[in-house]
Amino acid sequence: MIEIVLGERCIACDKCVEVCPTDVFVRGDDGVPLIARQGDCQTCYLCEAYCPVDALYVAPAVHPLPAPPDVAELTEKGLLGGYREQIGWGRGRTPGARRAVGPVMPTTSQVIVS
Amino acid sequence: MTDLDLTADVLVAGGGPAGAWAAIKAAESGADVILVDKGYLGTSGATAAAGTGVWYVEPDPHARNLAMASREGLGGHLADRSWMARVLDQTYANMNELAEVYRYPFPVDADGRQIRRGLQGPEYMRRMRIRARRSGVRVLDHSPVTELLVDAGGAVAGAAGHRRQHDGSYRVRAGAVVLATGGCAFLSKALGCDVNTGDGALFAAETGAELSGMEFSNAYAIAPAFTSVTKTAFYAYATFHHADGTVLEGAGSLKGRSVIARALLTEPVLCRLDRAGEEDRQAMRLAQPNFFLPFDRQGIDPFTQLFPVTLLAEGTVRGTGGIRLTGYDCATSVPGLYAAGDAATREPICGGFTGGGSHNAAWAMSSGTWAGRAAARHARTLGARATGRPVRGAGGAGLRPGTGGRLDHREVVEAVQREVLPYEKNYLRHGDRLTPALAALDETWIRARQALRADDAAAARARAAAALAANARWMYASALARTESRGMHRRDDHPGLDPAQHHRLIAGGLDEVWVAPESVRNAAVAS
Ligand SMILES: Cc1cc2nc3c(=O)[nH]c(=O)nc-3n(C[C@H](O)[C@H](O)[C@H](O)COP(=O)(O)OP(=O)(O)OC[C@H]3O[C@@H](n4cnc5c(N)ncnc54)[C@H](O)[C@@H]3O)c2cc1C
Ligand code: SF4
Ligand code: SF4
């Protein structure tokens, strides 16, 4: 679930408010979005993909964590903005789609490629 | 009072791939088009979050024949080759259009040829949004439809809904409506699927349309425990284990998935992708970066460490049941109403089994294309009458309650989930468990009909809850009617295939649910 909106990075562009499919955010008084409906978050990571300054973090758990993860640690591990980087979004990056050549799958699995 | 009152030739409900293609193709046919989405055109729906392999097969007769034959048995011989051939043609055209016109960045092989067999979700749907806007489609995001509008003769003439970020209602009167609202995954938190609450099926049924194949609605996908990422392909590299580390015999990502389900009833199941070689591992990362999100973020190396897995319900999203179509134009039995993508039945190309695997993505773009064009044609034949007709709302449960009490949508959702999520009820089906589950769902429906209500802002939630209940009832009524095992529908009490049931099951009704057989047109295929 969405756990972090990093106020000091956020440029108040409203992108996450706009793109979140389940309408989790609302714009805060200072322009920084608030996580208003965390329970509706479907853990799809798309807000992260759209945030231009890597100010969001979606934890993989589908329920809220007891406390938000440590920002310094996330930064160190390259997890803030990691998904955006992997799909190659952002200036100067190659779209991940361009490099998406999958492995040659074991034959039994040809039926299910999802 | 409606805060925003609009008219269009064609209204498309849903902005996943099916709705996006429908809107673009309707606009390219000259129609004035509005697309409304519960979420956001570009990020909403199963494809945007997940990405898809696509049934893209070169127009070589041998390859096409193999492609068509590959799934007929798995699907229980309920598919139809004429539909498959048309979908293969249309998908080929659309994928090429994506490459050549939409400039989708497909990867290239060693010979420099583009590989057009897969689409990364965020990239694909971002481009579809741009394309829709360029085609002149008007887009309303965060605007869930809450009901269809019908004219005096019962033809569909638009839809009404709520703009949740503007806190106001809207209404669109239109010549034709395409329902592309996706399938129904019962709010299981499977990847990208919480917007897919089966709303379209409810709306369609309220105007008198039928469903088909609702027994093929028990897709369960593997995910690392407590996460959302139901990407299953790479589990072909997995071995599954008991908690003590011994191998769980017979477990696998495809045929052995029910073994996992049975084990999960009583014990945790652990997994490791230890059958992937070093080269595979690199390729997997590039192909599906989202597959690795739960691992990287939990500090797990899935290739060397055991991790617990779960199975999440994907209902009709990777099932095949949905709104019944009456022809290649993706019309329904109600004039003015068309359906596409997961909202519609995918039996014409998959029969009773998909599990994803390219067909659904191909179906979404093909059926979307056809529904969009047909809706534009239909609107044109109506001329000025299209938007001048007096209309009324067709919505029932959750919008126009009876008199008794006040029921919260959350209660309805929980009551439905109790019956449809457990593996022993829905995945490992048995008449003795389906019968009481259906009775409980009927009870929930009656209560919802009476007392489920919500103010404007929550109206869409109430309708989604009602839709879950309606979909669940068609699903179990159909599952009980099919007293055999065919496609993904497996009955513990009827394990064999019964040649006498080589037909599709259609279903419908709201307060009274009914199920009836429909003979398969393609009778040449033996069962
Ligand atoms: C994890 C995962 C992996 C998959 N992988 C594959 C694969 O590899 N190959 C394959 O072929 N298929 C795959 N599938 C299936 C595929 O994603 C779907 O078949 C496809 O997304 C269907 O497209 P759609 O447009 O019909 O529905 P969706 O993409 O689900 O879009 C439905 C849209 O309707 C909107 N909506 C819902 N209700 C309303 C309402 N009341 N009003 C307005 N809008 C509404 C939603 O917000 C959403 O935008 C996968 C599915 C999942 C979950
Ligand atoms: S992960 Fe998805 S649902 Fe959750 S806040 Fe981000 S965009 Fe919204
Ligand atoms: S997308 Fe990022 S920068 Fe923009 S408002 Fe959201 S958190 Fe702030």
Side-chain angles (χ1 to χ4, degrees):
Chain A
M1 275 183 168
I2 179 76
E3 287 287 348
I4 295 174
V5 180
L6 259 182
E8 68 259 31
R9 285 197 188 181
C10 174
I11 54 168
C13 70
D14 284 349
K15 206 70 200 162
C16 54
V17 182
E18 209 180 300
V19 304
C20 171
T22 55
D23 197 26
V24 162
F25 304 99
V26 294
R27 193 188 306 142
D29 291 338
D30 55 356
V32 177
L34 304 170
I35 302 171
R37 289 169 286 268
Q38 190 187 25
D40 288 337
C41 173
Q42 58 171 359
T43 320
C44 68
Y45 304 93
L46 285 166
C47 50
E48 265 195 55
Y50 274 85
C51 176
V53 293
D54 302 335
L56 299 170
Y57 181 72
V58 179
V62 291
H63 11 252
L65 300 179
D70 180 56
V71 172
E73 202 184 314
L74 294 176
T75 314
E76 195 188 312
K77 290 187 177 153
L79 292 177
L80 280 178
Y83 185 41
R84 181 173 170 80
E85 189 182 349
Q86 282 159 13
I87 63 170
W89 282 14
R91 201 176 291 279
R93 288 176 176 160
T94 305
R98 178 82 71 206
R99 294 177 293 152
V101 184
V104 181
M105 302 285 289
T107 45
T108 51
S109 71
Q110 288 301 323
V111 178
I112 293 191
V113 253
S114 37
Chain B
M1 249 294 292
T2 302
D3 303 313
L4 182 67
D5 202 353
L6 304 169
T7 60
D9 298 325
V10 173
L11 172 68
V12 178
W21 281 106
I24 292 166
K25 293 302 168 189
E28 286 175 2
S29 319
D32 176 26
V33 182
I34 294 178
L35 182 150
V36 296
D37 195 281
K38 181 190 265 185
Y40 176 86
L41 164 61
T43 60
S44 203
T47 290
T52 51
V54 181
W55 207 29
Y56 179 82
V57 184
E58 297 290 334
D60 156 56
H62 180 65
R64 288 276 170 99
N65 254 322
L66 278 181
M68 291 195 281
S70 70
R71 292 272 198 105
E72 280 177 327
L74 271 172
H77 297 283
L78 292 176
D80 180 332
R81 284 230 172 175
S82 58
W83 276 91
M84 290 191 220
R86 294 172 62 93
V87 165
L88 283 166
D89 281 342
Q90 190 64 55
T91 301
Y92 192 71
N94 288 31
M95 289 295 277
N96 293 343
E97 186 177 336
L98 268 172
E100 287 145 26
V101 184
Y102 299 24
R103 305 183 67 84
Y104 179 90
F106 285 105
V108 284
D109 65 16
D111 305 326
R113 275 171 53 96
Q114 283 193 345
I115 305 168
R116 297 179 181 169
R117 287 191 305 267
L119 291 163
Q120 230 164 47
E123 189 71 52
Y124 173 30
M125 292 312 299
R126 181 172 73 150
R127 280 164 199 269
M128 293 305 288
R129 181 181 182 90
I130 294 170
R131 198 71 206 173
R133 309 281 302 243
R134 283 204 185 146
S135 312
V137 174
R138 284 178 284 166
V139 178
L140 300 185
D141 299 303
H142 297 289
S143 302
V145 168
T146 51
E147 65 175 335
L148 291 175
L149 303 173
V150 292
D151 71 10
V156 168
H162 185 75
R163 292 198 301 157
R164 61 188 183 189
Q165 293 193 340
H166 294 85
D167 208 6
S169 58
Y170 73 87
R171 176 173 90 147
V172 180
R173 280 168 297 149
V177 173
V178 178
L179 288 173
T181 47
C184 182
F186 298 103
L187 294 171
S188 70
K189 300 239 183 249
L191 190 57
C193 290
D194 272 10
V195 289
N196 298 330
T197 48
D199 302 3
L202 172 67
F203 303 154
E206 285 172 339
T207 66
E210 310 89 31
L211 295 305
S212 183
M214 289 303 285
E215 68 278 31
F216 307 121
S217 48
N218 54 342
Y220 280 81
I222 306 171
F226 314 113
T227 81
S228 61
V229 180
T230 44
K231 306 264 303 180
T232 48
F234 293 158
Y235 290 96
Y237 292 109
T239 54
F240 296 91
H241 303 258
H242 298 282
D244 65 5
T246 57
V247 170
L248 179 61
E249 293 298 336
S253 68
L254 178 56
K255 287 250 160 81
R257 215 177 278 186
S258 61
V259 175
I260 301 174
R262 265 179 232 281
L264 281 170
L265 292 176
T266 55
E267 56 171 332
V269 173
L270 307 180
C271 169
R272 185 166 50 208
L273 305 176
D274 41 19
R275 294 167 58 207
E278 193 47 48
E279 257 179 53
D280 299 327
R281 298 176 186 189
Q282 298 301 331
M284 287 158 79
R285 276 202 178 266
L286 292 178
Q288 301 189 6
N290 52 0
F291 177 80
F292 291 92
L293 292 170
F295 302 119
D296 293 348
R297 289 170 189 220
Q298 291 179 109
I300 295 170
D301 177 353
F303 301 114
T304 59
Q305 282 173 272
L306 287 172
F307 56 90
V309 292
T310 187
L311 291 170
L312 293 182
E314 290 182 345
T316 62
V317 173
R318 280 196 274 193
T320 70
I323 299 164
R324 178 166 172 264
L325 304 178
T326 55
Y328 297 129
D329 58 354
C330 299
T332 68
S333 59
V334 179
L337 186 65
Y338 299 79
D342 287 356
T345 177
R346 280 134 287 156
E347 290 163 297
I349 63 161
C350 308
F353 175 90
T354 80
S358 315
H359 289 58
N360 283 338
W363 174 257
M365 59 178 78
S366 301
S367 61
T369 297
W370 302 330
R373 286 184 184 144
R377 268 196 311 274
H378 182 82
R380 222 169 12 246
T381 61
L382 292 178
R385 268 193 311 132
T387 52
R389 301 173 276 181
V391 294
R392 64 175 174 82
L399 269 187
R400 298 183 175 83
T403 46
R406 189 177 184 96
L407 182 62
D408 188 77
H409 63 89
R410 273 166 295 228
E411 266 182 78
V412 175
V413 170
E414 279 162 24
V416 174
Q417 285 182 329
R418 266 198 302 278
E419 304 307 326
V420 299
L421 298 184
Y423 311 140
E424 71 274 21
K425 294 188 184 179
N426 197 4
Y427 195 172
L428 312 166
R429 290 174 169 176
H430 190 294
D432 291 350
R433 299 188 290 268
L434 290 170
T435 304
L438 179 57
L441 290 165
D442 286 342
E443 180 72 21
T444 298
W445 176 263
I446 293 166
R447 285 176 55 217
R449 200 83 175 79
Q450 277 304 314
L452 176 63
R453 66 185 76 210
D455 54 19
D456 288 348
R461 291 182 191 264
R463 294 291 279 162
L468 295 187
N471 278 269
R473 291 166 72 232
W474 295 315
M475 177 166 109
Y476 280 174
S478 303
L480 277 165
R482 192 175 283 289
T483 49
E484 60 160 353
S485 291
R486 187 184 292 269
M488 64 167 47
H489 165 76
R490 319 300 306 171
R491 289 271 302 256
D492 281 351
D493 49 344
H494 296 281
L497 191 81
D498 172 11
Q501 296 185 52
H502 179 217
H503 46 237
R504 296 188 191 145
L505 290 177
I506 56 176
L510 291 156
D511 294 334
E512 293 293 335
V513 166
W514 56 264
V515 178
E518 178 202 57
S519 58
V520 181
R521 234 174 308 159
N522 188 5
V525 182
S527 59

